[in-house]
Amino acid sequence: MSFRTTASVDYVEDVSPGRGALPPRAWYASSDAKSLSLNGSWRFRLSATADGEDDSFAGEGYDPVAWAEVTVPGHWVLQGDGAFGSPIYTNHLYPFPVDPPHVPTENPTGDHLRVFDLPDDWPTEDDGGAVLRFDGVESCARVWLNGTELGEFKGSRLPHEFAVGQLLKPAGNVLAVRVHQWSAGSYLEDQDQWWLPGIFRDVTLLHRPAGAAGDFFVHASYDHTTGEGTLRVDSDVDGRVSVPGLDIDVATGEQVTVAVEPWSAETPKLYDGELVTAGERVPLRIGFRTVALEDGLIKVNGKAILFKGVNRHEWHPEQGRALDLETMREDVLLMKRHNLNAVRTSHYPPHPAFLDLCDEYGLWVIDECDLETHGFTEQGWRDNPVDDDRWTPALLDRAARMVERDKNHPSVVFWSLGNEAGTGRGLTAMAEWIHGRDSSRLVHYEGDWNCRDTDVYSRMYASHEEVERIGQGLDGGAGKRRELPFIQCEYGHAMGNGPGGIADYQRIFEAHDRLQGGFIWEWIDHGIKHPELGYAYGGDFGEELHDGNFVCDGLIFPDRTPSPGLVEYKKVIEPVRIEGDVADGTVRVTNAYDFADLSHLEFEFSYQVDGLPTGAHTLTVPPLAPGESAEVKLPAAVPDGNGDDVQWTVRALLAADTAWGSMGHEVAWGQETVTPRTAVTVAASQRPVPGERLLITLGPATFDARSGRPTTICGLDVTGLRLDVWRATTDNDDGASWQDDTRYGVLWRKLGLHRMQHRLDAVELADDALTVRTRVAPAAAEVGLRTVYRWTSDGTRVKLTVSVTPEGHWTVPLPRLGVRFGLPADAAQEVLYFGGGGEAYPDTRAASMLGQWLPSIDALHTPYVRPQENGARADVRWAELGGLRVEGDPEFWFSARRWTNEQLDAARHLTDLTPGDTLWINLDHGQHGIGSQSCGPGPLPQYFLKAEPTEFSFVFSTTG
Ligand code: GAL
């Protein structure tokens, strides 16, 4: 055996998919053929260039004495405490010059070595062969076994297999893998995510017995008119197919039709079966379902479906895209428990085990190919690989590796060509090949609005107005598109606080048949766990080019804790609608599932007075079929609220344990106010009394005579009470850099709303009130807010009425409007309040359920990876903390935090926030909406906080 002294690395920049790998086939775990996982600790050596080392390490007898170790699956840049380089985050910019297919000379290259023995019971060579499978390597790998080169490949998130049977020895097998971070393949993998080289999915040695199954295709359709399923398993190797639960035992290739229960995301019925060839038994999990484009609609089993989906990248804050099974299961369980019914595997085929979980628990899947060339947009899409025939074999290879690997999953209903790759002949070739290979599913691609190659009109971040127009068929467009259903493959950009406005989208989706739902962008924040920063984002590793925290835009935080955005989405897409008719004491329950009836739910009903339930009752709701509604009489008389408000709440709960949720898990709820409260009144019977040390006393409060600001209220020290209009701008306030029209976060700062000056005009004492007149305005601007604070008291309580009159020409809404003040840090550890539970803003308040809540002050803080405005509670009637009770007229927004809004605004990471000696309280009359402008449209006009004459009050008293 001979080795070159300088390794040839031409293959790195070769546009072909590679050499030496076996043709793609279905991915399955055999029942009886042996396999050996080669995951674990591997020896590792990093070179700065692709040709930094020769290939002698691949030969037998090489001693990697000075080599480090890495764990496979894994990314080397996330191991070795920085010794192996670091991650790079860019959204769409290539972090290297765009000169396809060339890549930088500086091309981190990881040599991986693993020596392994075969288990004692591994069959001998006469008993068949063996295959070495790589499930994912980023971005290009060259492989040797026992000194023989097997080949090289690209296509990071796709499997590659090599025949190795003739090379194996009982002991001391040397597997050598050279992985290059950059390759021609990198041009096809410009997804918005971290660039993370490495062998990040499993490496497995599979015994292939003589007569083993090869590739096979399970065709399992369902005829909703007859209730019958038709099964045919086409197999490269002949054998028999049995499904004991259906009394099926047929030859491969033979078709059989029997009565079955169909598979759907809501009713994921799988039949266990088996494919038996001469040399192998392969377990099958068969779901019968038929996907069709019919009457301009996506139908499954004869019914139009509504996607309530999310875009899922694979992410773990320590392991990157190397996910273990339990993490994948956690994702699926979280999705099911939050009412999601669909996933788009943005923007590459996931680990195959994830699709098994989707089959099992029930999720519709858009399986997306590992293809994105977004960076070419910077040059007007010139030289785009998807429109250059030289790259077409690589594109077809990627399409085939996805389809062949995943074709036996009932959950997959769409193949997606990729993401943000412009348009071109390569995409058309992929679509044609896919349509030819699998006529049982539809094809998706967002990048071509004329839908030349697709079966659905798909868009991302279209505004509510445009979606409504598309729903009405008023969007024009080419002939073919007009006939197609519509989905938003991305909407509701969940970066930081938000997304706002998703309830409004849902109403539009549900109003028009053509609109078949959407997929929130995205599932999880890709924050990387970091010793000093908490979670790192773009720029934290000193990248030359980066896109900051745009990589943290998920519905769950990096540690998989649900963010308020997920709680909101759960409510918005709940599969049961519960609406009340207060006047005649009935509740209307509607089944919003596409397939399931309501027999798996039970309904609980209760009244609450002043936010406290008065006892629970069962509500008997018929097992409504999908789409049906019923009016149900409320089972108890309205209690007397005695001036407090009264609501009823109806909850739909799982009646028994399911695969994904326990009995009692809340699926949906509705709430209505039956009797509104009467607002508290305070007789202005007290006179403000000037006293010693320039203090004025009014009932239970004292004031500084010069500033007119309270110094104590009900015995509690109070500092800095004043009007507040600023909020630490959210990612959605700041908007995306390419949207320069109405990015209010930017306009607010430009106007100076974060540095308002408070001019004192007068402190007036009258018989019945202390009145403080001010003007609040930013330097250098004509606009201002005339603000009058009027304090009155009945002796035990003190009331503050704030009147705000805008002056000048306001062209922007306000971030917030209310008062803020400080209390001593130790005044309170928790707050008891009656209002909406959980974080809410004007367009993210669907899930805000009225009740009495007792969160700790710390729990009021939502840990967005980049700190920003958070934690407001909506519809607060009253709040008690530190012995102080505040009642609002009207209801108000409550926030409390251990730092100021300015400190929150300045923080880049959570670790920048440290509690000070003051607990800051905001009592807001209004908040501006959140919207989705970090990538999509801003808040709808109805959620704007306009600068207009306003008056609101708070009554302060001692609790108890
Ligand atoms: C889309 C893209 C996603 C992501 C998102 C913004 O354009 O498809 O990958 O970049 O915008 O977060």
Side-chain angles (χ1 to χ4, degrees):
M1 200 148 313
S2 76
F3 293 98
R4 287 177 292 256
T5 45
T6 40
S8 164
V9 291
D10 293 351
Y11 64 92
V12 172
E13 295 184 334
D14 179 354
V15 299
S16 87
R19 235 174 0 98
L22 293 167
R25 62 177 183 131
W27 196 100
Y28 62 86
S30 181
S31 305
D32 52 0
K34 298 262 179 262
S35 69
L36 176 66
S37 168
L38 298 173
N39 295 346
S41 185
W42 288 49
R43 303 303 297 272
F44 178 72
R45 170 181 67 184
L46 185 64
S47 311
T49 60
D51 60 357
E53 298 282 352
D54 66 22
D55 47 15
S56 55
F57 80 106
E60 286 172 277
Y62 180 87
D63 185 2
V65 66
W67 288 34
E69 293 195 355
V70 288
T71 300
V72 169
H75 307 277
W76 70 71
V77 291
L78 296 182
Q79 305 186 43
D81 287 330
F84 307 146
S86 35
I88 299 171
Y89 166 56
T90 57
N91 166 11
H92 75 279
L93 298 178
Y94 289 103
F96 47 79
V98 182
D99 182 22
H102 303 294
V103 295
T105 303
E106 297 295 314
N107 187 357
T109 292
D111 288 334
H112 295 68
L113 260 189
R114 164 92 201 232
V115 179
F116 64 92
D117 299 340
L118 294 177
D120 292 344
D121 58 353
W122 193 269
T124 59
E125 207 183 314
D126 323 330
D127 195 11
V131 156
L132 180 64
R133 183 174 67 202
F134 293 90
D135 282 317
V137 182
E138 181 168 331
S139 79
C140 170
R142 187 173 173 194
V143 189
W144 297 261
L145 182 65
N146 294 332
T148 298
E149 182 171 349
L150 301 178
E152 96 277 327
F153 63 90
K154 306 182 188 85
S156 298
R157 296 103 202 176
L158 293 162
H160 294 85
E161 288 182 324
F162 296 93
V164 294
Q166 70 291 358
L167 298 174
L168 286 173
K169 307 185 296 189
N173 292 286
V174 179
L175 177 57
V177 187
R178 170 162 285 173
V179 182
H180 306 283
Q181 170 151 24
W182 308 122
S183 69
S186 306
Y187 283 97
L188 306 181
E189 295 173 8
D190 191 25
Q191 294 94 343
D192 173 7
Q193 60 180 350
W194 295 97
W195 297 89
L196 296 175
I199 305 177
F200 71 98
R201 285 187 191 154
D202 312 282
V203 182
T204 317
L205 183 70
L206 304 163
H207 179 236
R208 306 310 301 131
D215 188 25
F216 61 89
F217 198 161
V218 177
H219 302 278
S221 59
Y222 179 73
D223 182 342
H224 64 279
T225 60
T226 60
E228 288 174 327
T230 297
L231 177 69
R232 191 188 76 239
V233 178
D234 292 334
S235 175
D236 280 1
V237 176
D238 290 344
R240 290 203 72 79
V241 173
S242 60
V243 186
L246 294 172
D247 280 336
I248 291 177
D249 185 356
V250 290
T252 53
E254 194 183 317
Q255 185 155 305
V256 54
T257 298
V258 293
V260 299
E261 273 178 59
W263 187 97
S264 77
E266 294 166 10
T267 54
K269 173 70 188 171
L270 291 175
Y271 290 93
D272 286 330
E274 198 171 38
L275 164 65
V276 181
T277 63
E280 188 177 20
R281 312 179 84 88
V282 179
L284 305 176
R285 295 199 311 170
I286 301 163
F288 291 88
R289 51 116 193 83
T290 292
V291 183
L293 187 63
E294 226 175 73
D295 313 321
L297 297 173
I298 304 158
K299 292 192 183 172
V300 180
N301 302 337
K303 283 196 170 172
I305 58 171
L306 188 62
F307 290 119
K308 300 168 175 179
V310 72
N311 284 277
R312 175 180 179 272
H313 266 289
E314 295 183 310
W315 189 249
H316 185 282
E318 285 156 291
Q319 315 301 335
R321 289 189 283 276
L323 261 56
D324 58 29
L325 183 61
E326 280 326 297
T327 305
M328 296 182 223
R329 190 186 305 277
E330 199 178 335
D331 279 350
V332 169
L333 291 176
L334 275 169
M335 289 178 191
K336 292 295 289 184
R337 289 173 188 158
H338 288 87
N339 294 334
L340 279 87
N341 70 4
V343 192
R344 172 176 176 232
T345 69
S346 55
H347 298 298
Y348 40 82
H351 190 289
F354 179 76
L355 297 177
D356 286 338
L357 295 167
C358 293
D359 293 343
E360 184 180 325
Y361 292 97
L363 287 165
W364 308 117
V365 175
I366 298 185
D367 194 357
E368 190 149 277
C369 198
D370 191 5
L371 174 63
E372 173 159 345
T373 62
H374 200 179
F376 285 87
T377 187
E378 292 292 310
Q379 56 199 59
W381 295 105
R382 252 185 334 280
D383 297 333
N384 185 2
V386 311
D387 201 23
D388 178 337
D389 293 340
R390 286 171 298 179
W391 292 83
T392 303
L395 304 186
L396 289 172
D397 180 71
R398 286 171 188 247
R401 288 189 186 280
M402 167 178 73
V403 171
E404 300 303 356
R405 190 195 76 165
D406 296 341
K407 59 186 179 289
N408 293 327
H409 289 282
S411 55
V412 176
V413 291
F414 266 96
W415 301 115
S416 177
L417 303 180
N419 185 57
E420 295 186 314
T423 54
R425 286 163 294 169
L427 291 168
T428 302
M430 289 170 83
E432 280 173 359
W433 182 86
I434 294 174
H435 276 128
R437 174 64 178 139
D438 180 13
S439 57
S440 71
R441 293 178 176 93
L442 305 175
V443 169
H444 169 269
Y445 176 62
E446 188 273 348
D448 175 11
W449 295 3
N450 291 324
C451 306
R452 186 200 152 106
D453 304 316
T454 65
D455 301 311
V456 61
Y457 176 29
S458 172
R459 291 279 303 280
M460 45 174 80
Y461 311 107
S463 67
H464 296 84
E465 192 205 343
E466 187 178 7
V467 174
E468 174 96 57
R469 251 187 291 124
I470 295 170
Q472 293 168 348
L474 302 176
D475 58 308
K480 180 181 174 200
R481 185 177 98 191
R482 296 187 63 79
E483 306 302 315
L484 294 182
F486 176 82
I487 61 168
Q488 285 243 72
C489 69
E490 293 179 30
Y491 79 110
H493 198 248
M495 183 178 180
N497 187 336
I502 56 175
D504 305 275
Y505 275 115
Q506 193 63 27
R507 271 192 288 277
I508 300 169
F509 292 157
E510 290 179 12
H512 305 281
D513 290 345
R514 186 189 186 194
L515 308 180
Q516 295 199 260
F519 296 76
I520 295 286
W521 185 267
E522 65 174 306
W523 177 237
I524 184 166
D525 288 340
H526 311 206
I528 296 182
K529 200 157 172 65
H530 188 283
E532 284 95 47
L533 302 174
Y535 291 110
Y537 49 77
D540 288 336
F541 298 99
E543 299 106 293
E544 188 175 79
L545 290 176
H546 68 83
D547 288 289
N549 65 313
F550 203 61
V551 77
C552 292
D553 51 0
L555 292 174
I556 60 176
F557 295 116
D559 67 358
R560 294 193 148 67
T561 311
S563 83
L566 182 59
V567 178
E568 172 82 0
Y569 195 35
K570 175 187 178 188
K571 175 76 177 109
V572 164
I573 56 177
E574 58 189 8
V576 184
R577 299 278 178 225
I578 300 165
E579 297 136 329
D581 187 331
V582 172
D584 71 356
T586 59
V587 54
R588 169 177 283 269
V589 178
T590 306
N591 178 350
Y593 285 104
D594 292 325
F595 297 93
D597 68 22
L598 296 191
S599 57
H600 63 294
L601 299 174
E602 60 192 18
F603 291 77
E604 200 181 272
F605 165 87
S606 66
Y607 282 113
Q608 65 182 18
V609 176
D610 198 25
L612 288 180
T614 60
H617 310 262
T618 302
L619 194 70
T620 310
V621 174
L624 302 168
E628 280 183 1
S629 343
E631 309 265 341
V632 185
K633 199 94 197 131
L634 295 180
V638 182
D640 183 359
N642 254 330
D644 293 327
D645 41 354
V646 179
Q647 283 87 28
W648 60 249
T649 309
V650 172
R651 296 178 148 89
L653 312 172
L654 285 182
D657 291 350
T658 67
W660 51 265
S662 321
M663 182 173 126
H665 165 85
E666 186 177 283
V667 170
W669 58 274
Q671 189 177 54
E672 294 284 342
T673 295
V674 193
T675 325
R677 72 181 177 138
T678 36
V680 58
T681 54
V682 174
S685 62
Q686 302 291 301
R687 202 158 53 83
V689 185
E692 287 178 2
R693 286 179 287 123
L694 290 170
L695 282 182
I696 299 170
T697 304
L698 175 64
T702 56
F703 296 81
D704 178 286
R706 286 157 305 188
S707 67
R709 286 190 180 154
T711 52
T712 65
I713 298 179
C714 300
L716 206 58
D717 288 343
V718 172
T719 53
L721 188 146
R722 62 182 204 190
L723 192 80
D724 197 3
V725 298
W726 185 245
R727 71 181 186 197
T729 54
T730 65
D731 294 315
N732 282 317
D733 289 337
D734 290 337
S737 54
W738 63 86
Q739 307 179 330
D740 43 14
D741 44 352
T742 48
R743 302 167 60 200
Y744 286 120
V746 175
L747 298 177
W748 290 334
R749 218 176 281 273
K750 202 161 149 208
L751 183 60
L753 298 188
H754 59 308
R755 47 171 172 78
M756 297 293 263
Q757 298 182 11
H758 296 248
R759 186 183 78 209
L760 177 64
D761 289 338
V763 178
E764 296 169 358
L765 276 61
D767 280 353
D768 59 349
L770 167 67
T771 304
V772 181
R773 298 184 189 280
T774 68
R775 186 172 190 276
V776 182
E782 57 144 4
V783 295
L785 301 168
R786 267 277 156 217
T787 304
V788 178
Y789 306 84
R790 186 164 190 273
W791 296 89
T792 55
S793 174
D794 62 2
T796 53
R797 297 177 292 184
V798 62
K799 176 175 180 178
L800 166 64
T801 302
V802 183
S803 318
V804 179
T805 314
E807 294 181 340
H809 181 54
W810 281 87
T811 53
V812 293
L814 297 170
R816 61 150 29 99
L817 182 69
V819 294
R820 76 142 99 155
F821 55 91
L823 299 176
D826 58 2
Q829 300 306 324
E830 55 190 25
V831 52
L832 177 69
Y833 73 93
F834 173 26
E839 176 181 292
Y841 289 83
D843 55 349
T844 62
R845 60 192 292 170
S848 173
M849 182 193 267
L850 289 174
Q852 277 196 30
W853 306 93
L854 181 66
S856 70
I857 301 292
D858 295 337
L860 289 174
H861 176 67
T862 311
Y864 295 115
V865 172
R866 185 191 73 82
Q868 53 197 277
E869 166 66 23
N870 70 80
R873 299 303 194 259
D875 298 315
V876 177
R877 278 79 167 140
W878 55 257
E880 294 181 357
L881 75 172
L884 190 67
R885 179 178 169 92
V886 189
E887 282 171 83
D889 182 15
E891 291 80 24
F892 59 100
W893 302 83
F894 177 86
S895 319
R897 50 180 62 101
R898 299 199 177 276
W899 34 79
T900 60
N901 291 330
E902 290 73 17
Q903 287 164 332
L904 184 62
D905 200 14
R908 312 309 303 157
H909 292 93
L910 285 166
T911 45
D912 296 335
L913 293 171
T914 42
D917 55 10
T918 305
L919 173 58
W920 289 100
I921 309 297
N922 275 89
L923 309 177
D924 289 311
H925 179 62
Q927 278 273 2
H928 187 62
I930 295 293
S932 198
Q933 210 174 358
S934 54
C935 194
L940 289 169
Q942 61 266 36
Y943 304 119
F944 275 42
L945 177 57
K946 293 200 196 91
E948 57 194 12
T950 312
E951 189 171 286
F952 50 94
S953 353
F954 304 103
V955 173
F956 298 90
S957 58
T958 306
T959 57

